[in-house]
Each structure stands twice: as structure tokens, then as C-alpha cells.
Amino acid sequence: FSSNHKITVSLSGTKKEPITVPCYPCIDNITIDNVPESFTVDEKVKFNVDCTKAGIGELFVNILDPAMKPAEEAELILLAEELFEVSYIPRQLGMFSIFLSYDSVPLPNMPLQQRVSGVPIQSVMMTPEPSVLQPVRPGQPHSIKIELKDMPSLPSEPLVISLTRSDGLKIDFHLNKENEFSYILTFTLPTEGQYLISAHFGANQLPGFPYSALIPLLICFLGWLHGWI
């Protein structure tokens, strides 16, 4: 176990002053489990650190952002004796470095590096804004502009949209890419009902999607887009 031990030595019956010897935890016995295969921006990341075979000690976590500056503080939950859950929410894209130490002794093979992908919440803008939208009747075409702002890098996959009614009917739409940062989504909803729209780059959903709403009589995009931004 990690603590300081005192050793008393005697020579020919004469006792010497005790020698204090630090005993460090067995960090080679610490395992890191359930690390996600991918990290998505603005979504909580969780993994476990099992220190049960390392002795009694304290786990320290230090997370650095892509600029190697301190990132969001990690949350530690004690699941069982010396078994911890580590969680944090990355707020930007790029490579994050996670440093773990136990009783001030760095774990081997640190840092743990993970690339964060996806689309940050603050980078998605919709036009027109919800405050100026007007109700749209069934059968009336409607257009929404999706813009990506202040992103250090663009997603490698194309933007994929799907729009379906609650009975499984797929609704036709047109997605026009104005440039690398701007898209125009145009569609017409045929009847009142419940619709589900999703938008993602590769496996990464756009913030606020998928969105489901029950639309009675008039299809009001003011209610729809309230949760998108």
C-alpha cells in the first residue's frame, strides 16, 4: 500500500534512528477500461480507472485541450473502493491529452490522447431565426439555411439529412451546398402529423438533432427550431 514506512535498524544492540522509506502504489496494476472509440464535442465522455490492485491512494486527472492548455475539469465518481469513473465534456475540436496519476505517481503510457470530432453547438446557426419564423401550412415549401461558424476544421464527411413522418413515410427534400460552411435545406410537409428530422456529419449528429414534434393543423417551425439552436 502507498504510504511511508519506518525501518528501525540495530547494530550490536545499539538502536539507530528509524529510516523513513516511501512506498509508492503499484501503478502497473492500474487499468483503464471502457474508453469510447470516439469522442464527440459537447458530449460527455466517460471511462473507468481500476485502482483496486494498486493499494489505497488518490487518483488525479489533468486534461489538456489541443493547445495544451487546461481544459474542462474532470468529474470523479467513486464506484467502489479504489474504482473510479472519470467524465468530462470536451468543448472544442482537436486532440485532447489526458494525464492520470495515482498518489502523485504518473501512470505509464501517459498521456491518453483522443481526437474530438463533431460539430460544436455554438458553431451551428439557422436562418431565419426562430423569433422571426412564421407558421407554414401543409403543402407550402419552406427553406432553412444551416451555417457552420468559427470551426477550426470542417467535418470530413458530407452533411446528411433525413426527414420522416411518424408512420415511416420519408419526406422529399432538397439540400443545396452553397459553400463549405453553408447549406440550404428546402422541403414541403404534406399533412399535419408528427415528424422527425435528423442531420449529421458521418456518425456525428448535429447539435439538437434528431428533433421530433407533433404538428397539429399548421406546421409551425417556430416550435420546431426552438430546440435546434
Side-chain angles (χ1 to χ4, degrees):
F1 297 97
S2 57
S3 61
N4 291 333
H5 292 254
K6 289 186 178 181
I7 301 176
T8 302
V9 179
S10 62
L11 181 62
S12 299
T14 304
K15 289 186 176 181
K16 300 296 184 180
E17 289 294 323
I19 302 173
T20 301
V21 180
C23 181
Y24 295 105
C26 303
I27 59 173
D28 290 337
N29 294 332
I30 296 176
T31 59
I32 303 173
D33 305 308
N34 301 324
V35 180
E37 293 184 359
S38 61
F39 289 15
T40 303
V41 67
D42 293 318
E43 292 186 11
K44 180 175 286 189
V45 174
K46 297 192 296 185
F47 58 90
N48 296 339
V49 181
D50 188 347
C51 306
T52 54
K53 297 181 180 179
I56 299 174
E58 188 173 0
L59 179 66
F60 295 91
V61 182
N62 185 26
I63 301 176
L64 301 182
D65 66 16
M68 298 303 288
K69 296 180 180 180
E72 289 73 16
E73 185 175 349
E75 179 183 3
L76 285 177
I77 298 177
L78 186 62
L79 301 178
E81 187 174 357
E82 309 310 324
L83 176 62
F84 303 89
E85 179 186 87
V86 179
S87 65
Y88 79 103
I89 301 177
R91 296 298 186 186
Q92 57 180 296
L93 303 176
M95 187 71 73
F96 278 68
S97 301
I98 305 173
F99 295 84
L100 301 173
S101 60
Y102 196 62
D103 263 13
S104 300
V105 180
L107 270 61
N109 302 319
M110 289 292 113
L112 174 65
Q113 291 190 309
Q114 291 289 341
R115 181 170 297 279
V116 175
S117 60
V119 180
I121 291 176
Q122 66 273 16
S123 296
V124 179
M125 296 187 63
M126 312 289 284
T127 306
E129 296 180 359
S131 59
V132 298
L133 286 175
Q134 300 296 323
V136 178
R137 296 180 181 276
Q140 178 179 338
H142 189 74
S143 295
I144 298 174
K145 187 173 185 178
I146 303 173
E147 294 180 278
L148 306 180
K149 299 286 188 179
D150 302 323
M151 292 186 63
S153 61
L154 289 171
S156 57
E157 296 89 354
L159 175 64
V160 178
I161 301 288
S162 67
L163 177 58
T164 57
R165 201 168 58 188
S166 58
D167 58 1
L169 177 67
K170 293 184 178 180
I171 307 301
D172 292 332
F173 60 86
H174 179 70
L175 182 64
N176 179 42
K177 184 177 180 180
E178 290 191 318
N179 52 57
E180 292 182 334
F181 301 91
S182 178
Y183 301 81
I184 299 293
L185 175 63
T186 304
F187 53 88
T188 301
L189 299 181
T191 62
E192 68 274 5
Q194 188 170 12
Y195 292 84
L196 180 70
I197 184 169
S198 66
H200 58 274
F201 288 100
N204 299 309
Q205 284 277 1
L206 236 62
F209 292 88
Y211 192 83
S212 177
L214 180 63
I215 313 298
L217 299 180
L218 294 181
I219 301 173
C220 179
F221 287 90
L222 176 60
W224 263 38
L225 292 185
H226 179 70
W228 288 6
I229 297 180

